[in-house]
Amino acid sequence: MKNILALIGISVLLTSCGSASKSVDDLAVSNPINTSIDITAVNNDKLPVTINPGRFTQDSVIYRLPKIVQGTYDISNFGAFIDDFVAKDYNGNVLPSKKIDENSWVITNAQQLDVITYWVNDSYDVESDPNYPSLFSPQGTNIEPDNYVLNLHGFIGYFDSLKNAQYNLDVTAPATFERTSALQNVGIKSSSDGTKITTSYFAPRYFDITDNPMMYGKLDVEEFMVGDIKIVLSVYSPNKKHTAASLKETMFTMMEAQKNYLGDINSTARYDIYLYLSDGSDKAPKGFGALEHHTSTVVVLREWASAEYLAKSMVDVVSHEFFHIVTPLSVHSEDVHYFDYNDPTFSKHLWMYEGVTEFFAQHFQVYEGLVTPEEYYRTIQNQITRSKYYDDSMSFTEMSENVIEEPYAKNYTNVYQKGALIGMCIDILMREESNGNRSMLSLMKELSAKYGVHKPFDDDTIIEEITKMTYPSIGEFLQTHVVDGVPIDYGAFFEKVGLIYELTQTETNYVQSGMGFVFDANEEDDYVFFSSNVSENTFWESQGVRENDIITSVNGTDVKLNNLRMVMGQMFRWKEGDEIEVKLLRNGEEKVIKTKLTPAFTKIKTIVENLEATKSQVKLRNAWLNQSDTL
């Protein structure tokens, strides 16, 4: 997942192999769970779902909606969106059922269970409602007259005793609707009056339910081929500002370049891109980004963006999700492979799943000529700058393993900054050690060949394995900077490829300098203060502000941790000539800054090519960026 987030688990299908008696799970394989969703029966913004699991032999069963789904690293609690849960026996009588936690119901007298029915609220229009979980929009659900985002993990659950069961799914919708899904279509039938169409789908196991989102409604759909991959681009733009046709060329060029970059890594026969464009209204989704699946991605972006900005966002976001076919979809640990939707454990290797994926998503653009080296250098520098907003000495493996807990959770999004930089450093090291013949991508191909979709690696030993497969320098880097958390000297890696830092002065805003945010916070005592970065912002320096000055109010608003984001948002919008009043405390004495804003400048490090680089440095750089002169 790229938040503008994303790990997806892969489970294996276990089948009986010549045993005299079959377990409940084995019986489930030959007796699919029949499920249905009826879009034509929506009532009060809720969608009805029916679950028919077949016969049970035990006295009680537990039915669950996911607490957490693959590709996300926070608690979702999809059970919170379920209303009017009812279990019925074969005579239509209500069976005893009890909700035992946020996502789970226990049903007694289960031998008599015929069907379960319930209603599902969508998440898009309650993202700001404190009574519901706050979901990242691309993993959420949408129920509105013209559009249905069917992330199926929000509608369909599983039985504890039938985790390996097959699923039949019927989706009934108005005949006028477009419908797109990569889930296996096994039949279509129309109602007698021709107003409804029911599409039947088949999923080999519950994982395939969660791994195959759908979009229904008044959609704009384009299909095209990239090599041997069929791309299906489905776009919902409420105000018709953007179309699938307007994005088709961008997506084709990007995915063709990705195919060239990946080379012989196995790919899917079909890839779906579901794009929901938010119009910014109160009940529209606000979490922009994407969530990856094996053969698709759900993307939520701004409808009001310009065509150029939307195209660039789609390249950055969709390319990241598509590269997840390498990791973790092909290369992953046991925590990912045997994902538990109710009580998951997390792998130590987000540096690989998200970091290396984001490295590929940026590196392929320069390697395949979509951007210039100078543009790529700016991307790297932005990643370095943003990575400093997080704890740069935190162990990445420790953070990954404890990602839903603090203080690790607030450092998660550094996987898209420092994680990508980790991938970059390994890529440079691999090329240096191999005289240009190996790379980060070739290493992932080797890991994919050794493990692949159906064989997970051991979380605790994979670094040792990578070291044996590569070079001692790779193992030393991973141990020092990924496990131990020692900050990386990026300059040392740039030197290898003939790049250097150049200090330049540039205009900035009033909340940042070239070193990062000029503010910090004391969480224990609930106050905000100027950090050491303030010395690099010329406006605050000219006002005599010092490190550790406590900020008590900004333009009459008292500043505390609970409103810091709001205050900073207002300060982002400050412009030259605005009158401001900022009150500070310095050693217990109040200081007042009351002035008109003048431009703020800062010095930033810019990555440039070293004109005095050696021939070997230039050759390594050219091999790294796929320029004309290679080793």
Side-chain angles (χ1 to χ4, degrees), residues 279-343:
D279 64 7
S281 58
D282 289 343
K283 292 189 175 183
K286 307 295 191 300
F288 304 123
L291 180 64
E292 91 279 359
H293 301 273
H294 271 73
T295 60
S296 64
T297 182
V298 178
V299 187
V300 179
L301 294 173
R302 299 168 177 85
E303 187 184 35
W304 63 92
S306 67
E308 295 75 18
Y309 185 87
L310 179 62
K312 179 65 169 67
S313 297
M314 286 290 285
V315 169
D316 286 342
V317 172
V318 177
S319 64
H320 176 99
E321 307 310 330
F322 185 76
F323 275 121
H324 273 302
I325 66 173
V326 181
T327 183
L329 304 183
S330 180
V331 183
H332 55 269
S333 73
E334 293 174 342
D335 303 83
V336 177
H337 197 84
Y338 305 108
F339 189 83
D340 187 327
Y341 299 92
N342 185 59
D343 186 24

Side-chain angles (χ1 to χ4, degrees), residues 264-283:
D264 58 359
I265 288 184
N266 290 335
S267 61
T268 176
R270 169 174 169 160
Y271 194 83
D272 278 77
I273 303 167
Y274 307 98
L275 173 60
Y276 182 101
L277 292 170
S278 170
D279 64 7
S281 58
D282 289 343
K283 292 189 175 183

Side-chain angles (χ1 to χ4, degrees), residues 8 14 17 44 53 81 92 94 197 208-209 211 218 275 315 376 401 420 450 491 505 524 526 546 563 606 608 623:
I8 197 160
L14 303 176
C17 200
N44 194 25
F81 298 92
V94 175
I197 291 178
D208 296 285
I209 289 290
D211 191 42
K218 296 181 179 179
L275 173 60
V315 169
Y376 182 56
E401 196 171 28
K450 183 173 184 177
Q505 182 162 288
E524 184 176 346
D526 191 21
R546 299 178 187 173
N563 70 345
T606 303
V608 298

